[in-house]
Amino acid sequence: MRLGLLAALALAAPAAAPAQGYDPRFTWRTVDTPRFRVHFHGELEPLALRAARAAERAHAALAPIIGHRPEGPVDLVLSDDTDDANGSATVVPRNVVRLYAVPPASGSELSDYGDWMESLVFHEYTHILHLDTVEGLPRLLNAALGKVFAPAGLGPPWLTEGLAVLHESGPGAGRIDAALFEGWTRALVADGLPGLEVVSSAPLEWPRAHLWYLLGGRFLAFIRERCGDEALRAFVRDQGSQIWPYLNDTLAERHLGRSFLDLWADFGAHLRLRYGESLAAAGRAPEAARQLTRRGALLAHPRFDPDGRSVVYAEQGLDERPGLRRAGLDGRDRGRLAEVEANQSFALLGGGRAVVAASDVHEEYAVLDDLFLVDLGDGSRRRLTSGERATDPDAVPGGSAVVYVAHLPGGRHALRRRRLDGGAAETLLERPGAELFLPRVAPDGRRVALEIQEGGRRDVAVWDRGALGFVTDDDALDQAPAWSPDGRTLYFSSDRGGVFDLYAFELGAEPEEGGAAAGPPGPSSVRPRLPGRLRRLTATWAGAYQPAPSPDGRTLAFLGYSSAGYDVMAMPLDPASWGDAPDPAPRPAHRLDPRPPGGPLGSRPYRPLDTLGPAWWLPFLGGDGAGWTAGAVTGGADVALRHSWALAAAWGGDSRQASYDAAYAAGWMHPLLSLASSRSVGTTPESPQRLESQWAPLDAAFTFTRAHLDRLHALSLGWRSLVYRPLGEQPAWPPEPAPPPGAALLPPYRGAKAGEVSLGLAYGSARRFARSVSGEEGGVVALRLRLASPDLGGDQTYATARLSAATYLRLPLTRHAVLALHGSLGASSGTFARRLPFSLGGVAPPDVAAIAAGALGGGFPTLADELRGYPSGAFAGSSLAAGTAELRFPLLAPQLGHSAWPLLLRRLHGALFLDAGGAFRARDGAAGRRLGDAESLRFGAGVELRLEVVLGYYLRTDVRLGVARGLGQLLASPRPPDPLAETQVYFTIGESF
């Protein structure tokens, strides 16, 4: 029943943004089109109209290509509660697209676009058309049960994302033709393309999940060029008709002529042929460049220290928390300076200080960027903005103020200036229809260079006392400007040569014969041009990005790229070696269609009932205290997640009793209100032959949270009523066991009734990284108190308290070896329905919810107690003491799989463990088995081999193979024999804690 309800809630309310969903303060409205309902809040109506028009264009363009037309309206939910550009799509139980109202950041793999909203809608609607294609037996199944099965949604992620990348933009824009992805692909080809089994699952090394988009899109483009759109349409239809959805190679052979594994080999040969000449013609980095870091993954924003002897950069690596680091010009790693979550753009002020843009949870429901003044010596920080959505800071000369970009509602941007000693921000530039990025203040403090995306073009411009002049105005992507120390030259990166390279624009200089020039200011007052000469500094094959000149103007730091990721490079600035800048290849003009689909558009109030009703149901088989049960489960949630509900009901074939489980969550309020009610059939504590009705008429709780990106505090207050009543007469056989000698005789069991209040406190900061085999730092603490008395209703008086904690300590001088510690203490007074509240023994059963949360990248470890080397549930009592110490260490990372099969053995790691604990009964005697009686603790020890596997392409978990031995009461003197101790060989799934 509980597993059925978990499935119901998962189908009813897929996660969206922060932990509780959308901000309850949002007031939602809806725009209706012939095929879509676009739901939005606040000031997003203009953007919602853009999204509505883009969605209708996407349907007209893509439905014939994919060969599918969804039934009924598709819901688009547009929210402005994050500063990270993204979206998602789901087709179960209904077609829903969720869009974030923010354009991609500079340097993002999404930054090659004509209109970011159109690219986002096209990408996500491709998912809808693909995954909603359900034919054959799955279609008949859905006709009976509602939409519960979408076979294409269980395909390899490179196929799902690759198809969307293939269709997210027209020719000349989007990731298929982006120079950034071209450079990434060249680097992979040069050093060896990963196997299809790795790309089909959860890749361990850089570029990790980016591979699904990077190679998936190119692989699908290769297949389309070879086989045509009709073959892909036939494949998608057949994929959507499979009861067993993992026959990928069989379907590929049927419709594409070869298995995906064979096509992947052909694709690799195609890429080697395509890039062979360019790899031979260009170097990995300029000959004079020195590599200052060898960390790889995602490095960004190199900046010279004021003394010019080292470079500070931001890192989001695979082995530790993100933050700022320093590298010397001699290539020595100077260590970490400060931890910075996400964003990480920054400006150095001198004096060991920096202004950093960092992301964090804002008012529980949004994840926004703000500015902080950080001491790079001790890592301390002072907040400069709160909820302003500020990013890309740069300091004015002298460090008294910063210039930055602020995100405005509806995807708009403003260039602002703020003094560090306080006062209101000053808006310098806000240009309708333009997105602004990475401002850099000139040495004269008067001018500001910046990226500007406008009219489908990404250019470098200079703001000067209210006037805007353009350095570039063409079809290239020009990014990350930086001033020379004398203010006469702007360095930036550009893809105008087909690969991102470094360029210098010499302001006011006359172009040489045959050289490129910005030209004199043109007649347009909208995009006036600045005169000067444009020259090329590098010619690489994987890319050069984000230039930063040294204070003396002699050295240029920048980001270079390889298959390991980004690293900081440095090269001398020698104008005599610079070459002519190539003209960028023209791109198709991007013109937005201003006409509304099907007539003028308007908005109306949002109606939760449009999407709240049940859209599916599932039958299930289960069990109760007498035998088998059969039932059904259903649920629902409105697309704005104001209301979520689930209901399961069953009938006992042997007990002839009904059971049910109902739950409701109120996303329209804070704290979160959850309501539940349930009835089940179990057995009495006195006799397993006597059935009992176990009814919770009402279980209500309020949950308060205080969330950050790296930690979470939670407080829950609850009340529930419990009514347990025996069913039928006490059987005559087997007889009730005789009480122990001296024990008080209990009256016949007649059930129990209680009104119970509860308090829950939790804190979590456990952290693991891409190459971790376990949590490596931080920890989890949870406290649960329960109290019942006749004053609260019922006839029972009892109290229980349980405290659990875990912490993770990465061992020095190791890559990822960890000492993991876990402990629990429990105490109680009285019992409910004569049931002891604590038990211990054996290996904890798999926690399905925890495994699912881990697959989604969320949640904290489950704090289950284990006493391995003893039978399961061997000890029960009114108090508990338990603890575990595990030494966890990596062994191998084979990443073994086959083709596009949904199984990958990613890593092997091991653990040595020592368990200790006991559950004790208060009535065992005044001198015995009390909480804290160390001599009574039992110990178990052993070893586990853990196979980190990825199931179904996304679900990462551990398969644990262990041997444990019960060691008895090691602290007792003399040590008594322990008949319960045993040698166990066991197998289980999921992390231990």
Side-chain angles (χ1 to χ4, degrees):
M1 177 80 77
R2 297 288 178 178
L3 288 176
L5 199 68
L6 177 65
L9 289 171
L11 283 166
Q20 189 176 310
Y22 298 112
D23 194 324
R25 295 170 295 186
F26 285 167
T27 298
W28 293 87
R29 294 186 65 80
T30 302
V31 172
D32 294 292
T33 78
R35 296 175 184 84
F36 298 89
R37 292 183 297 217
V38 182
H39 313 284
F40 65 94
H41 63 86
E43 304 175 50
L44 298 183
E45 183 158 354
L47 194 61
L49 296 176
R50 272 176 63 187
R53 296 180 183 114
E56 288 291 341
R57 287 195 299 274
H59 178 82
L62 298 177
I65 296 175
I66 306 299
H68 178 69
R69 296 177 182 274
E71 297 178 4
V74 176
D75 290 286
L76 274 65
V77 185
L78 181 63
S79 65
D80 199 7
D81 49 9
T82 180
D83 288 333
D84 183 24
N86 212 334
S88 64
T90 182
V91 299
V92 175
R94 52 174 46 92
N95 295 329
V96 180
V97 172
R98 301 187 187 275
L99 308 172
Y100 296 154
V102 59
S106 173
S108 162
E109 67 271 21
L110 301 171
S111 59
D112 191 339
Y113 58 82
D115 174 69
W116 63 270
M117 176 54 71
E118 181 166 280
S119 295
L120 181 60
V121 169
F122 269 61
H123 181 101
E124 300 303 339
Y125 191 61
T126 302
H127 286 325
I128 296 294
L129 295 174
H130 174 205
L131 305 182
D132 189 57
T133 302
V134 182
E135 305 288 347
L137 288 177
R139 186 179 182 88
L140 294 177
L141 181 69
N142 288 347
L145 302 177
K147 198 191 294 186
V148 296
F149 187 33
L154 301 177
W158 61 259
L159 176 60
T160 305
E161 298 299 344
L163 196 65
V165 168
L166 184 63
H167 297 300
E168 68 190 8
S169 296
R175 283 172 280 187
I176 280 290
D177 297 307
L180 181 76
F181 266 23
E182 283 286 291
W184 286 18
T185 306
R186 284 190 186 93
L188 286 173
V189 171
D191 293 333
L193 209 63
L196 185 61
E197 71 281 359
V198 174
V199 182
S200 294
S201 193
L204 185 60
E205 300 295 335
W206 177 264
R208 306 197 70 212
H210 292 291
L211 284 174
W212 303 340
Y213 306 82
L214 170 68
L215 296 181
R218 280 159 172 71
F219 189 30
L220 266 295
F222 168 77
I223 291 174
R224 182 174 66 175
E225 183 176 350
R226 171 179 285 196
C227 304
D229 278 325
E230 180 52 44
L232 280 176
R233 278 194 295 272
F235 175 90
V236 167
R237 286 194 300 270
D238 207 355
Q239 185 190 26
S241 69
Q242 302 299 310
I243 291 294
W244 178 252
Y246 301 120
L247 301 176
N248 300 295
D249 280 329
T250 300
L251 299 182
E253 289 176 347
R254 183 181 302 165
H255 299 289
L256 308 177
R258 290 166 65 81
S259 71
F260 278 133
L261 190 60
D262 292 336
L263 286 168
W264 187 258
D266 295 346
F267 174 59
H270 162 76
L271 291 180
R272 288 189 293 273
L273 180 64
R274 173 180 174 180
Y275 294 127
E277 184 176 340
S278 63
L279 292 178
R284 296 186 176 216
E287 291 184 5
R290 307 186 306 278
Q291 187 168 340
L292 305 186
T293 67
R294 299 186 181 277
R295 303 186 65 84
L298 189 57
L299 274 58
H301 309 300
R303 296 285 194 102
F304 270 93
D305 266 329
D307 61 14
R309 291 182 293 185
S310 59
V311 177
V312 178
Y313 60 93
E315 179 191 46
Q316 295 187 44
L318 306 179
D319 296 297
E320 60 186 13
R321 284 176 178 256
L324 303 185
R325 298 187 70 92
R326 177 182 282 123
L329 290 183
D330 57 1
R332 294 178 56 189
D333 181 13
R334 302 291 178 83
R336 174 182 295 274
L337 300 174
E339 294 177 357
V340 180
E341 293 290 342
N343 192 302
Q344 297 187 297
S345 56
F346 68 95
L348 296 177
L349 300 179
R353 300 180 305 154
V355 173
V356 178
S359 304
D360 204 353
V361 177
H362 180 74
E363 296 182 349
E364 293 310 299
Y365 299 94
V367 179
L368 305 181
D369 297 336
D370 272 306
L371 300 183
F372 298 83
L373 182 62
V374 177
D375 187 311
L376 299 180
D378 59 18
S380 62
R381 62 181 62 194
R382 173 170 66 88
R383 180 180 286 273
L384 298 176
T385 67
S386 180
E388 191 179 350
R389 309 180 69 174
T391 185
D392 295 350
D394 193 49
V396 304
S400 62
V402 289
V403 171
Y404 58 96
V405 171
H407 289 279
L408 304 179
R412 297 176 293 118
H413 286 167
L415 180 67
R416 290 179 176 169
R417 180 166 51 204
R418 175 182 292 272
R419 292 190 57 84
L420 299 184
D421 56 5
E426 174 191 3
T427 296
L428 305 179
L429 175 65
E430 184 179 345
R431 190 173 170 104
E435 291 114 39
L436 314 176
F437 309 92
L438 289 178
R440 293 295 181 260
V441 183
D444 59 18
R446 188 189 72 217
R447 297 168 294 166
V448 179
L450 69 158
E451 290 179 39
I452 180 168
Q453 174 86 13
E454 187 176 50
R457 287 181 166 183
R458 179 71 60 98
D459 293 300
V460 171
V462 174
W463 177 89
D464 186 355
R465 291 172 293 188
L468 196 65
F470 282 78
V471 169
T472 61
D473 185 7
D474 50 41
D475 286 333
L477 266 69
D478 302 318
Q479 299 180 334
W483 293 96
S484 63
D486 60 9
R488 297 177 180 176
T489 302
L490 272 172
Y491 303 100
F492 59 92
S493 56
S494 175
D495 70 345
R496 61 189 56 242
V499 179
F500 271 101
D501 272 304
L502 303 182
Y503 292 82
F505 184 80
E506 298 169 294
L507 287 156
E510 293 295 330
E512 297 176 354
E513 185 176 352
S524 172
S525 60
V526 178
R527 295 179 70 88
R529 298 288 297 277
L530 296 178
R533 179 172 54 180
L534 184 62
R535 304 179 69 188
R536 182 173 183 167
L537 279 63
T538 62
T540 64
W541 54 259
Y545 309 87
Q546 298 184 357
S550 61
D552 63 7
R554 297 179 179 179
T555 305
L556 190 70
F558 62 96
L559 294 178
Y561 188 81
S562 71
S563 60
Y566 293 93
D567 274 296
V568 179
M569 316 287 289
M571 59 180 285
L573 279 170
D574 179 15
S577 65
W578 299 352
D580 294 332
D583 294 326
R587 303 184 188 211
H590 185 88
R591 294 187 178 89
L592 292 176
D593 184 356
R595 295 172 299 172
L601 294 178
S603 66
R604 58 169 173 83
Y606 171 73
R607 296 190 297 256
L609 288 177
D610 287 347
T611 54
L612 184 58
W616 61 275
W617 69 278
L618 286 172
F620 67 85
L621 292 175
D624 61 12
W628 65 272
T629 63
V633 60
T634 187
D638 69 293
V639 294
L641 303 181
R642 309 284 283 180
H643 311 274
S644 303
W645 63 275
L647 175 65
W651 178 257
D654 295 315
S655 66
R656 315 305 294 174
Q657 294 285 324
S659 55
Y660 74 89
D661 216 326
Y664 169 79
W668 47 268
M669 63 175 294
H670 184 80
L672 175 68
L673 170 64
S674 57
L675 301 173
S677 179
S678 65
R679 182 184 188 266
S680 59
V681 177
T683 59
T684 66
E686 296 175 311
S687 173
Q689 277 70 41
R690 191 181 191 190
L691 298 182
E692 180 176 61
S693 168
Q694 300 172 352
W695 184 33
L698 179 62
D699 188 341
F702 290 100
T703 301
F704 302 80
T705 58
R706 178 60 176 164
H708 298 274
L709 287 185
D710 62 343
R711 62 194 186 279
L712 172 69
H713 305 76
L715 165 67
S716 66
L717 300 172
W719 180 87
R720 66 174 175 168
S721 58
L722 297 170
V723 181
Y724 281 24
R725 288 287 180 265
L727 299 172
E729 298 298 324
Q730 171 71 30
W733 186 264
E736 182 179 346
L745 294 177
L746 297 175
Y749 177 72
R750 301 186 186 280
K753 182 178 180 181
E756 176 186 293
V757 294
S758 62
L759 168 69
L761 296 171
Y763 170 79
S765 62
R767 191 92 173 227
R768 66 181 295 162
F769 310 105
R771 295 192 178 117
S772 302
V773 298
S774 161
E776 290 195 359
E777 59 182 61
V780 183
V781 180
L783 173 66
R784 179 76 171 174
L785 304 175
R786 298 165 54 207
L787 172 67
S789 77
D791 294 335
L792 299 171
D795 53 20
Q796 301 287 295
T797 300
Y798 60 87
T800 65
R802 182 185 182 115
L803 175 66
S804 296
T807 189
Y808 308 90
L809 308 171
R810 183 166 170 174
L811 300 183
L813 306 179
T814 69
R815 287 294 300 268
H816 291 285
V818 174
L819 178 62
L821 304 173
H822 165 52
S824 293
L825 294 174
S828 69
S829 172
T831 64
F832 173 71
R834 297 185 184 176
R835 286 165 169 82
L836 294 170
F838 304 112
S839 65
L840 186 67
V843 181
D847 188 325
V848 177
I851 294 173
L856 298 173
F860 289 108
T862 300
L863 299 183
D865 299 307
E866 296 182 314
L867 184 55
R868 289 159 281 192
Y870 290 87
S872 177
F875 310 102
S878 55
S879 60
L880 170 75
T884 294
E886 289 191 351
L887 176 62
R888 302 169 177 174
F889 45 88
L891 295 172
L892 299 170
Q895 301 197 79
L896 295 177
H898 177 70
S899 187
W901 288 13
L903 175 64
L904 181 76
L905 172 58
R906 195 159 76 158
R907 284 185 291 197
L908 299 174
H909 50 107
L912 302 173
F913 63 83
L914 177 67
D915 296 338
F920 314 118
R921 299 192 182 198
R923 65 173 183 267
D924 283 351
R929 309 304 186 263
R930 296 185 304 273
L931 179 62
D933 185 351
E935 292 186 355
S936 64
L937 295 175
R938 286 175 164 85
F939 289 79
V943 60
E944 287 186 355
L945 174 65
R946 297 174 175 178
L947 288 69
E948 183 182 288
V949 298
V950 183
L951 306 172
Y953 308 114
Y954 302 98
L955 180 61
R956 180 197 57 79
T957 190
D958 288 345
V959 176
R960 297 162 53 196
L961 308 174
V963 179
R965 174 62 191 171
L967 303 177
Q969 295 165 266
L970 295 181
L971 302 182
S973 181
R975 188 171 72 183
D978 192 343
L980 293 176
E982 62 185 24
T983 298
Q984 293 177 338
V985 178
Y986 58 88
F987 163 89
T988 189
I989 297 177
E991 298 181 3
S992 54
F993 63 88

